Amino acid sequence: MQSQEEKFESLIEGIVANGYGVCDDFLSSEEVTMLNARFTERFDDGNFKEAGIGKQSEVHQAKEIRGDKILWLENGTTNIAERILLDKNQAFINYLNQTCYLGIVDAEIHFAKYDIGKFYRRHRDTFQAQKGRILSVIYYLNNHWQTENGGNLLIYTQENNIEKTISIAPLAGRLVCFQSEKLDHEVSETFRERLSITGWLLNV
Ligand code: OGA
Ligand code: MN
């Protein structure tokens, strides 16, 4: 088993070499179970909102671009499951700041639920007023995900001026991290309910 530091290192190696890193079992199965339970609890409270793509007035247009429902986490939450996630995310931030001098000072993080048939078309995470986003982080919570469930994260990279598509399944416990400003990506249509926690590490 990799130590937490080895996991951080492998993510950073990926980011430096390719602009993105993938780490499996970043969350343990117990942590995934707790987060799934908390996710359901918060979803059932009815506070999730259709995600937008910028200004409030554009939410209806946004549906053709992204179909997830989201709820932002609060930094000061005392819920155990949310604390585990936020504290792990903070440990990663601290490691990034100490080893890569990224000057990350804050993070914004939301739960995201894609129902069957939903997707998020090709985009970058730094559109409009999303200033200060250095790294995007996505924690996946989907146990027993199968290829036929779709819902892959597709990352577009350039190799010798040729575009390459990397396809990453949203497997429970997996963390994907990429440079927010640099990489186009999308979520392909999902054929099963797809749960994740998405965040941005900010330098302002
Ligand atoms: C996003 C996003 C990717 C994913 O929320 O901006 O690109 O795999 N999510 O959920
Ligand atoms: Mn995105």
Side-chain angles (χ1 to χ4, degrees):
M1 253 238 325
Q2 276 184 311
S3 69
Q4 190 169 66
E5 194 169 312
E6 285 167 339
K7 290 177 185 175
F8 293 159
E9 278 298 329
S10 74
L11 285 160
I12 291 168
E13 268 173 44
I15 295 164
V16 171
N18 310 306
Y20 71 93
V22 181
C23 180
D24 288 336
D25 303 313
F26 189 85
L27 301 173
S28 70
S29 56
E30 294 77 21
E31 290 168 341
V32 168
T33 301
M34 289 174 76
L35 284 162
N36 268 314
R38 180 58 175 169
F39 197 121
T40 306
E41 191 175 86
R42 300 225 61 188
F43 189 80
D44 291 347
D45 284 344
N47 295 323
F48 275 55
K49 298 268 182 312
E50 310 268 358
I53 48 166
K55 294 186 216 108
Q56 206 60 36
S57 59
E58 289 169 351
V59 167
H60 62 287
Q61 287 171 17
K63 277 194 179 170
E64 281 149 42
I65 298 168
R66 68 184 291 191
D68 54 330
K69 295 195 181 81
I70 65 165
L71 177 70
W72 292 97
L73 277 87
E74 282 158 36
N75 277 335
T77 179
T78 54
N79 172 265
I80 296 175
E82 293 178 7
R83 274 267 54 91
I84 287 170
L85 192 283
L86 293 177
D87 292 348
K88 275 206 153 177
N89 191 66
Q90 188 59 46
F92 186 37
I93 291 175
N94 295 345
Y95 194 85
L96 284 163
N97 283 341
Q98 280 157 22
T99 59
C100 307
Y101 310 104
L102 289 184
I104 297 161
V105 293
D106 203 1
E108 45 186 13
I109 303 179
H110 64 55
F111 294 104
K113 179 173 183 281
Y114 290 77
D115 290 322
I116 293 172
K118 301 299 185 187
F119 49 77
Y120 193 160
R121 299 294 188 219
R122 183 169 174 160
H123 67 281
R124 252 177 230 193
D125 284 347
T126 46
F127 49 81
Q128 296 190 12
Q130 314 293 359
K131 262 183 59 197
R133 290 181 167 184
I134 308 185
L135 289 172
S136 304
V137 289
I138 309 158
Y139 299 87
Y140 296 108
L141 301 178
N142 309 288
N143 286 308
H144 315 297
W145 195 264
Q146 308 288 327
T147 312
E148 60 268 26
N149 298 143
N152 290 308
L153 168 65
L154 307 179
I155 293 181
Y156 298 95
T157 62
Q158 296 282 332
E159 235 174 64
N160 305 321
N161 283 326
I162 297 168
E163 188 171 88
K164 212 173 122 183
T165 309
I166 315 289
S167 179
I168 302 169
L171 305 187
R174 176 172 275 177
L175 168 60
V176 176
C177 182
F178 59 87
Q179 291 178 298
S180 308
E181 254 179 7
K182 295 223 170 118
L183 292 181
D184 277 12
H185 57 281
E186 72 177 83
V187 178
S188 68
E189 182 177 356
T190 188
F191 303 109
R192 194 188 123 178
E193 183 181 277
R194 178 191 194 269
L195 305 185
S196 60
I197 300 175
T198 306
W200 292 275
L201 313 187
L202 311 173
N203 67 357
V204 288

